[in-house]
């Protein structure tokens, strides 16, 4: 069964600290992995997209890594800010159809305290 | 910033009412999607469209219906709302399918419509 598991479920850190969010997946055949940021009550916004051949991608203070062999990804946030408080969702796409079936994780709820 | 808009953002209605959630995008995308999201849970695809006059049901069974008469417009309708329909509904669009060779299609989401049925 294709699944996407994220950990931790929730995380609280102090402003200025770094943190790393984890995503493990069993989706096969793998096409790409995305990280989204979803503020409370808003729609998800894309942070990074990585294909099989990419093992790291950065977007400002966000750096995503991908290990396609172990089917793991991480999202590292550097020098956290209060505005980083949000849910971070890992999404994996398969190559089973032209639409590309998307498998969503439940997200990690990050809270940044001043 | 994505040019995809959803209205209303919030809606509270009584059981049995008919409601339509509007979704419009100005990016000229052929592919549009409706997702349902409950608190702390993953997004579930309930409807999608490849283009005008194309609509398909997603993975999660839903009593809602959709239509795609114009490229930019993808409304979702519930003929008779029930408390079990209470949820967040997210509309999304993409220029191409999620797969295009080595370049996956970017998926743009609207701000969502939070529906509460009393």
């Amino acid at each position: 069964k294709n699944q996407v598991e994220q950990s931790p479920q929730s995380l609280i850190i102090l402003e200025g600290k770094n943190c790393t969010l984890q995503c493990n997946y069993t989706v096969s055949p793998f096409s790409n992995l995305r990280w989204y940021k979803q503020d409370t009550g808003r729609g998800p916004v894309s942070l990074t997209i990585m294909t099989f051949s990419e093992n790291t991608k950065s977007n400002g203070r966000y750096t995503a890594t991908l290990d396609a062999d172990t089917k793991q990804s991480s999202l590292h946030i550097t020098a956290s800010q209060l505005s980083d408080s949000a849910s971070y969702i890992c999404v994996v796409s398969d190559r089973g159809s032209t639409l590309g079936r998307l498998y969503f994780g439940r997200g990690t709820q990050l809270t940044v305290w001043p | 910033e994505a040019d995809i808009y959803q209205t209303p953002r919030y809606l509270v209605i009584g059981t049995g009412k008919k409601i339509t959630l509007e979704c419009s995008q100005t990016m000229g995308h052929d592919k549009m999607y409706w997702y349902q999201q409950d608190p702390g849970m993953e997004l579930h695809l309930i409807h999608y469209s490849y283009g005008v006059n194309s609509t398909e049901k997603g993975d999660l069974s839903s009593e809602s219906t959709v239509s795609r008469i114009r490229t930019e417009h993808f409304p979702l309708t519930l003929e008779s709302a029930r408390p079990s329909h209470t949820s967040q509904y997210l509309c999304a669009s993409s220029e191409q399918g999620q797969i295009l060779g080595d370049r996956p299609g970017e998926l743009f989401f609207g701000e969502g419509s939070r529906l509460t049925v009393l």
Side-chain angles (χ1 to χ4, degrees):
Chain A
K1 180 181 177 183
N2 288 321
Q3 285 187 314
V4 177
E5 301 287 343
Q6 292 188 243
S7 62
Q9 184 175 347
S10 62
L11 181 63
I12 299 174
I13 62 172
L14 294 177
E15 186 178 14
K17 298 297 185 181
N18 304 335
C19 67
T20 300
L21 314 180
Q22 300 290 343
C23 174
N24 296 338
Y25 62 92
T26 59
V27 176
S28 180
F30 174 83
S31 174
N32 60 80
L33 184 145
R34 311 152 189 253
W35 283 94
Y36 283 87
K37 178 187 178 187
Q38 184 176 24
D39 292 319
T40 301
R42 310 290 291 272
V45 175
S46 178
L47 294 176
T48 63
I49 302 176
M50 288 183 292
T51 59
F52 185 88
S53 59
E54 298 171 299
N55 55 23
T56 187
K57 183 164 282 189
S58 292
N59 178 0
R61 294 180 295 103
Y62 301 101
T63 299
T65 64
L66 172 64
D67 186 334
D69 291 332
T70 61
K71 298 187 177 180
Q72 295 178 326
S73 176
S74 65
L75 180 69
H76 186 74
I77 304 175
T78 304
S80 61
Q81 300 175 358
L82 298 179
S83 58
D84 292 332
S85 294
S87 178
Y88 291 84
I89 302 172
C90 176
V91 185
V92 182
S93 178
D94 69 11
R95 287 188 284 113
S97 68
T98 55
L99 179 64
R101 172 87 160 76
L102 295 181
Y103 297 86
F104 289 81
R106 293 187 176 186
T108 291
Q109 183 64 48
L110 174 66
T111 303
V112 181
W113 282 2
Chain B
E1 193 167 307
D3 294 321
I4 178 166
Y5 310 99
Q6 290 186 241
T7 59
R9 289 290 314 282
Y10 304 93
L11 181 62
V12 181
I13 60 169
T15 296
K17 298 293 186 182
K18 177 180 178 179
I19 64 107
T20 296
L21 304 180
E22 302 286 351
C23 177
S24 296
Q25 50 93 6
T26 59
M27 297 174 281
H29 291 170
D30 282 331
K31 294 169 178 63
M32 297 189 73
Y33 316 83
W34 276 103
Y35 291 90
Q36 186 173 338
Q37 183 183 32
D38 293 316
M41 301 297 288
E42 62 268 44
L43 277 72
H44 290 285
L45 182 67
I46 51 175
H47 298 283
Y48 62 94
S49 168
Y50 286 116
V52 172
N53 294 325
S54 155
T55 61
E56 302 286 346
K57 289 191 177 296
D59 306 310
L60 182 67
S61 175
S62 174
E63 294 167 347
S64 59
T65 59
V66 292
S67 63
R68 191 85 183 277
I69 299 174
R70 302 199 315 266
T71 298
E72 62 272 21
H73 200 211
F74 191 40
L76 180 146
T77 298
L78 273 167
E79 289 294 333
S80 180
R82 294 203 302 271
S84 60
H85 296 138
T86 294
S87 189
Q88 167 100 329
Y89 293 86
L90 289 162
C91 181
S93 72
S94 63
E95 183 177 9
Q96 61 263 7
Q98 303 311 306
I99 301 167
L100 183 66
D102 293 327
R103 187 170 70 88
E106 180 64 80
L107 189 64
F108 297 94
F109 285 91
E111 296 284 34
S113 292
R114 176 157 295 282
L115 173 65
T116 301
V117 184
L118 303 176

